[in-house]
Amino acid sequence: MSGSSRGVMHEQVGTAPSVGQHASRAPRIAIPVLPRRVPLGFLYGSLLLSWIFMAVVGIRYHQWTYPTSLRSAWMNAATFLADPLLVQGTFAIFVAGLLTVYQVNVQRLRGVGPIVSNFFGWAVVIGLIMGTLWILEQGVFKPSFEFARPPQEEAALGEAWLTAFARNAVSVFRERLFPIRATQFQDVPSGFAVRQFILFYLALWIGSQPDFPRLLKLTERGTRNLIYAISTAALAWVIFSRLYRHNHSLLAMSMAAGISTFFFWAGLIATYSMSRRYGARYRRLLYQVLVAYVPFGILFAYASNEAGMWMGFSTVFIVLLFVVSVVSVWRVASAEERLEE
Amino acid sequence: MESIALAIALLVGLFVGTLAYFLLRPYFEAPYGALLPARAAPDPQASIGERFDKVLEAMFRIWSFYALTAGLFALTAGGFGWPTQLGQHLTVTALVVGLAFAGLTRVMCVTSSGFMLETLMSFTLGFITLFATEGWLDSSIAHTVVSDVLRKTTPEFATTYMVLSLGTAFGVEGILALLWRVAPLTRQVPYQLFREYHEAFETGEIGLYRGQVRSLCKKTIRPEIERFGLDHLFWKTATGDLEIAREIIEATATALARQRGLAYVKMSTEDKQSFCRTQVRAEFVRLSSQGNFRVIMPVDPPWHRETVKEQFGIEPLPVPDLGSRRFIVVNRRVAVLGVAVPPGDVEQLGANVAWVPKEVGRIQECLAEFEGLWDMYSSALP
C-alpha cells in the first residue's frame, strides 16, 4: 500500500498489514473479524426503550392477548403462509449475507478470503448463536418465568405450518433434554421474539458500521435505511404473527424485548472487550452494562413466577461479566507489552 | 439451607459493594451538570447521529444511576417483606427512599468531597444487596413466590419504578444544570471540583478510572518517551496523583538529559514539578517557533475537536482510530497534553497524528490563562 493513502484506508492497512499475499491459502470457512464499531446510539436507545416498554406496556397489560374480533380470514391465511420460522430463517440468511458483504469489503482491502467461505463463517456463527439461544430459552429463560401459554380457546389458530412441523421434529429431543419444561411454562419469553430481536440487532450493528459498503446502487444512507427497514419489518411480522395466532401473550413479547436487548449488548460488549484491538476502547461499557443490569433484573424478577431462579441466574451473569472485564484488562495489557517488544 | 442462603448473600453483598465502588465513581466525580451532554462540548461539525448518540449516552448514565440505587432499595424491601404480605407495601416506599438517597448524594457531591460519599454509597449498596439477596433466596427456598405476592399487593410497581426513577433523575440533573447556568463555580468552590470540571470539559471524558490510568502511564507513556526520545512533554496539572507524576517526570527528565548528553540528577518532587513546568514551557515555545512540531492528543474525536480548537487554537486533523499503541490518557489527576511525534515518522503515523498548531500565540495565551486560574484556585486546595 502506498504511503499516500490516508484516512480510512490508512487505518485498515495499519492494523492488518501484509495479509494480501496469503489470499490463496485462505481457509474454507473464514474466521470472522470483528467490525470496527459498537453503535452507541442504538445501544443506549434500545436499552432505555426496552426497559420502558417492559415497565409500561408489558408488565402493566400482561394479560392482554390479541382480540379475536380483530381477526380476518386474510390475516389468518397470511400468518399461516408467511410462517415466522420461515421469515426468521430467511432473515438469518440475509444477516449472514450482510455480514459477508461487510467482511468481503473489508477483507478486499486486506486481501483475504473468497465470498463463500466468509458466508459460511458467518452462517456458522449465527447458527451457533441461534442454537445457544434455544438452549438458554428452554433451560433458563422459560423456566425462570414459569408462565403457561395463553388459553387455547376454540378460536385458537395454532402454529403456522413450518413452526408446527419443526416443533414436532424437535419435540422428542426437547422432551429428553428439558423433561418437565417441555410441555408447560412455554409462554414467557417468546423464543421467536428473542431470536428475532437478536438478529435485528445484528443487522443494525452491521448496517451502522462506518465503512459498510453501498448496495444496489443506493447511497450510503439509502443502504442503511433499506437494511433498517427490512429488519424492522421482519421483526414486526414475527412479533405480530405470534401474537395474532395466540401463541404468546404481550408479556412474553415485552420480556423477550428486554432479555434480548440486554443480553445482546452485554454479549457484544463482552466480545469487543475481549478483543486485543478494541478492548481498551469498549471495556468501559461493561461497567455501564453492569449498572444497568439491576433495573433490568428487577423487572425480570418482578414479572417472573420463579424469582429465586432469576436471582441465581443474575449472580452467575454478573460474575461472568466481571470475569470478562478482568480478562479484558489482562489481555489488552499483554497485547501492549508484546507490541513494545 | 438458611445458612447457605446467608453465606451466598454475604458474598454477593461484598461483591456488589466492591463493584459499586468502581462503578459509581464516574457519577461522583462528575461535577454538577457534567452528566448532561451540553457540558461535554458537542462538536458542531459532528453529524446528527453522533450528537444523538452523545445525548442518549448521557440520558442512559443518568437514568442507570438513579434506577440502580432505587432498585436495590426496593429489592431489599421486596425480599424482606415476603413472609408478611403487609411488608410488601414497603416496596414502593423503599423505592422513594432510595431515589431520595440517590438524589441527595448527587447534590451533596457538588458542594463537598465526592470521596466520602462514594465510599458511603458503596457500603450502603453492598449492605442492602446483602439483605436483598438473602430475602429473595430464603423465599425461593421456602417456595414462596415473592413476585406473585408483589404483583398482587403492588400491581403498579413496575410503572411506578419507571416513572419515579426517570422523573427524579432528570429532575435532579436538570436542576443541577440550571444551577450551573445561574451560578457558575466561584472562588468558594474547592479546586478539586474546578479542576475536575476544567479537565472534563477539555477532554470531554467523564468516566476514567484511576487504576487503568496508572498502569497505562507505566506501561505506555514511559516506554514511549524512552523509545522515541523526547521532543516535548506539556505538563499541565502538577497536583494529584503523585505516582503518575513521578513516572512521567522521571521519564521526561531522563530522556531530556540523555538527549543532551547530561546526567540526570534526582530532585525533590517540588523541584521536579517546577522544573518540568519551566522546561516544558521553554520546549514548547522553542518548538512552536520552529513551527515543526506535532501533537498527539489522547482523546477520542470527534466531539472534542471544537474544544481543542477553542482552547489551543490548533486545527485538529480527522483521527477516527487511535489504536492502542499511542493511546495516552489524560486523567483528572494529571494531564499529559501532548507528546511529540519523532521527526520523519509523521507519514507512517498518519493515522495517529492529531493536531497541528497554527497560532503559536494562542497556545501561550492558554498556558498563561491556566497559570492564572491555577494561582487563583490553588489556595483552595484541600
Side-chain angles (χ1 to χ4, degrees):
Chain A
M1 217 32 98
S2 67
S4 62
S5 60
R6 292 275 179 96
V8 175
M9 296 278 279
H10 205 104
E11 283 159 45
Q12 285 165 352
V13 170
T15 48
S18 74
V19 202
Q21 293 84 4
H22 306 300
S24 55
R25 283 190 281 130
R28 277 286 160 81
I29 292 181
I31 297 164
V33 177
L34 269 184
R36 285 203 292 159
R37 205 175 72 171
V38 174
L40 296 180
F42 284 134
L43 181 148
Y44 296 122
S46 61
L47 280 175
L48 280 172
L49 279 180
S50 66
W51 191 73
I52 293 172
F53 178 58
M54 280 197 299
V56 176
V57 182
I59 295 178
R60 205 183 165 119
Y61 304 104
H62 64 276
Q63 282 163 333
W64 187 89
T65 46
Y66 192 86
T68 40
S69 57
L70 289 179
R71 279 178 177 165
S72 70
W74 281 104
M75 208 40 104
N76 291 356
T79 49
F80 183 77
L81 291 174
D83 185 293
L85 189 60
L86 189 71
V87 172
Q88 193 159 73
T90 319
F91 189 70
I93 294 169
F94 172 72
V95 173
L98 286 183
L99 285 157
T100 310
V101 167
Y102 178 79
Q103 194 77 22
V104 169
N105 181 60
V106 172
Q107 289 191 342
R108 190 165 51 78
L109 295 172
R110 293 176 177 177
V112 179
I115 293 173
V116 178
S117 69
N118 275 291
F119 181 76
F120 277 123
W122 279 116
V124 166
V125 169
I126 288 180
L128 283 176
I129 292 173
M130 294 295 112
T132 316
L133 280 178
W134 187 74
I135 291 169
L136 270 180
E137 167 207 323
Q138 296 293 329
V140 179
F141 294 144
K142 288 194 174 185
S144 60
F145 277 100
E146 281 198 345
F147 274 87
R149 282 188 194 280
Q152 298 294 305
E153 76 285 7
E154 284 155 30
L157 294 169
E159 304 276 15
W161 62 279
L162 188 60
T163 313
F165 174 75
R167 207 174 282 289
N168 280 336
V170 296
S171 64
V172 177
F173 178 61
R174 188 174 65 167
E175 273 154 26
R176 217 165 268 177
L177 258 182
F178 312 101
I180 304 164
R181 312 292 174 194
T183 46
Q184 45 182 329
F185 307 138
Q186 281 288 312
D187 187 29
V188 181
S190 159
F192 271 96
V194 168
R195 289 191 297 270
Q196 191 63 31
F197 263 108
I198 299 277
L199 288 171
F200 172 73
Y201 288 129
L202 275 174
L204 293 197
W205 168 56
I206 197 71
S208 65
Q209 292 303 319
D211 44 359
F212 193 85
R214 296 172 180 188
L215 297 175
L216 306 172
K217 294 182 183 173
L218 289 164
T219 59
E220 199 173 306
R221 197 170 166 183
T223 313
R224 270 179 226 286
N225 288 348
L226 181 70
I227 294 171
Y228 298 160
I230 292 174
S231 317
T232 313
L235 177 70
W237 180 254
V238 168
I239 290 178
F240 172 75
S241 67
R242 297 297 286 171
L243 278 176
Y244 183 88
R245 297 181 79 84
H246 281 203
N247 300 121
H248 284 293
S249 60
L250 189 62
L251 182 70
M253 292 306 166
S254 74
M255 286 301 131
I259 285 177
S260 50
T261 307
F262 186 82
F263 288 102
F264 175 80
W265 294 117
L268 193 71
I269 290 163
T271 314
Y272 271 89
S273 308
M274 298 293 269
S275 144
R276 287 209 168 90
R277 191 172 165 210
Y278 300 108
R281 193 192 310 170
Y282 286 116
R283 200 169 45 228
R284 76 190 167 91
L285 296 183
L286 273 180
Y287 301 115
Q288 295 189 359
V289 165
L290 270 169
V291 169
Y293 186 66
V294 171
F296 267 87
I298 284 174
L299 288 197
F300 294 151
Y302 178 72
S304 118
N305 283 329
E306 183 57 60
M309 188 157 176
W310 258 117
M311 296 301 282
F313 179 68
S314 304
T315 313
V316 172
F317 172 76
I318 289 174
V319 171
L320 267 180
L321 268 194
F322 188 66
V323 168
V324 165
S325 82
V326 171
V327 172
S328 163
V329 171
W330 172 74
R331 269 175 71 95
V332 173
S334 69
E336 277 173 9
E337 269 168 23
R338 197 169 312 139
L339 272 169
E340 284 302 324
E341 278 162 13
Chain B
M1 285 302 266
E2 276 179 10
S3 59
I4 294 173
L6 192 68
I8 294 176
L10 209 77
L11 276 178
V12 174
L14 270 177
F15 184 68
V16 169
T18 322
L19 266 185
Y21 186 76
F22 293 104
L23 296 182
L24 294 176
R25 189 177 300 257
Y27 301 101
F28 292 104
E29 291 202 339
Y32 56 24
L35 283 178
L36 289 171
R39 294 269 70 80
D43 180 4
Q45 287 166 352
S47 69
I48 294 174
E50 282 169 334
R51 283 195 229 174
F52 194 57
D53 283 7
K54 203 69 189 153
V55 172
L56 275 175
E57 177 173 2
M59 285 172 67
F60 179 83
R61 292 175 73 97
I62 290 169
W63 161 77
S64 58
F65 169 60
Y66 287 89
L68 170 84
T69 318
L72 282 178
F73 272 75
L75 208 64
T76 315
F80 242 155
W82 71 268
T84 53
Q85 298 220 349
L86 228 162
Q88 297 299 329
H89 291 296
L90 284 173
T91 319
V92 175
T93 319
L95 202 68
V96 177
V97 172
L99 279 172
F101 182 68
L104 272 178
T105 0
R106 179 80 181 89
V107 173
M108 278 166 75
C109 277
V110 174
T111 49
S112 48
S113 158
F115 177 75
M116 274 308 290
L117 288 167
E118 179 182 53
T119 315
L120 186 79
M121 189 83 172
S122 328
F123 272 118
T124 315
L125 289 188
F127 198 61
I128 63 170
T129 313
L130 189 155
F131 287 119
T133 321
E134 213 247 336
W136 285 69
L137 281 175
D138 268 1
S139 66
S140 74
I141 289 164
H143 299 293
T144 311
V145 184
V146 181
S147 45
D148 216 31
V149 181
L150 249 182
R151 273 201 302 272
K152 268 177 205 147
T153 50
T154 48
E156 294 295 303
F157 169 74
T159 320
T160 317
Y161 181 27
M162 191 216 78
V163 171
L164 278 186
S165 64
L166 281 179
T168 319
F170 291 105
V172 171
E173 294 301 325
I175 289 169
L176 286 183
L178 209 72
L179 270 178
W180 172 256
R181 291 223 151 207
V182 292
L185 294 169
T186 54
R187 248 169 207 280
Q188 284 84 26
V189 175
Y191 174 69
Q192 188 193 4
L193 279 175
F194 162 74
R195 190 185 53 194
E196 280 174 5
Y197 167 72
H198 187 71
E199 291 180 9
F201 177 73
E202 245 177 24
T203 60
E205 287 287 346
I206 305 283
L208 287 169
Y209 305 97
R210 264 171 241 165
Q212 288 175 22
V213 171
R214 186 170 301 163
S215 74
L216 264 167
C217 269
K218 280 184 179 160
K219 287 185 177 161
T220 315
I221 299 180
R222 189 169 179 153
E224 204 72 17
I225 293 171
E226 284 173 356
R227 184 169 164 190
F228 292 113
L230 188 91
D231 270 10
H232 77 277
L233 185 127
F234 184 28
W235 185 257
K236 197 147 187 193
T237 55
T239 57
D241 212 337
L242 277 176
E243 277 179 54
I244 301 172
R246 277 189 206 118
E247 279 294 321
I248 295 168
I249 292 167
E250 288 203 6
T252 314
T254 320
L256 272 175
R258 198 192 298 141
Q259 265 181 356
R260 290 162 194 188
L262 300 170
Y264 166 54
V265 184
K266 284 207 167 189
M267 291 175 284
S268 77
T269 315
E270 295 302 313
D271 288 344
K272 274 181 202 167
Q273 285 171 3
S274 64
F275 162 78
C276 215
R277 276 206 267 178
T278 7
Q279 190 66 55
V280 160
R281 196 191 285 128
E283 284 289 305
F284 210 78
V285 172
R286 183 178 67 80
L287 288 161
S288 306
S289 62
Q290 288 168 3
N292 63 350
F293 83 112
R294 303 280 190 276
V295 185
I296 298 174
M297 291 292 276
V299 287
D300 243 351
W303 47 81
H304 310 144
R305 230 179 277 153
E306 196 57 30
T307 318
V308 172
K309 206 172 157 187
E310 265 179 30
Q311 289 283 306
F312 301 102
I314 49 182
E315 190 70 48
L317 296 172
V319 190
D321 195 352
L322 275 167
S324 62
R325 276 224 47 239
R326 299 196 161 271
F327 192 72
I328 296 171
V329 165
V330 175
N331 79 340
R332 49 179 67 98
R333 309 289 161 219
V334 171
V336 180
L337 271 189
V339 174
V341 173
D345 235 5
V346 175
E347 198 60 39
Q348 189 199 335
L349 295 168
N352 287 331
V353 172
W355 288 281
V356 184
K358 291 266 160 46
E359 268 179 77
V360 180
R362 178 76 186 123
I363 299 168
Q364 286 160 355
E365 269 172 40
C366 285
L367 205 62
E369 189 191 334
F370 176 76
E371 292 297 333
L373 289 169
W374 169 276
D375 290 335
M376 190 193 292
Y377 287 105
S378 54
S379 58
L381 270 172

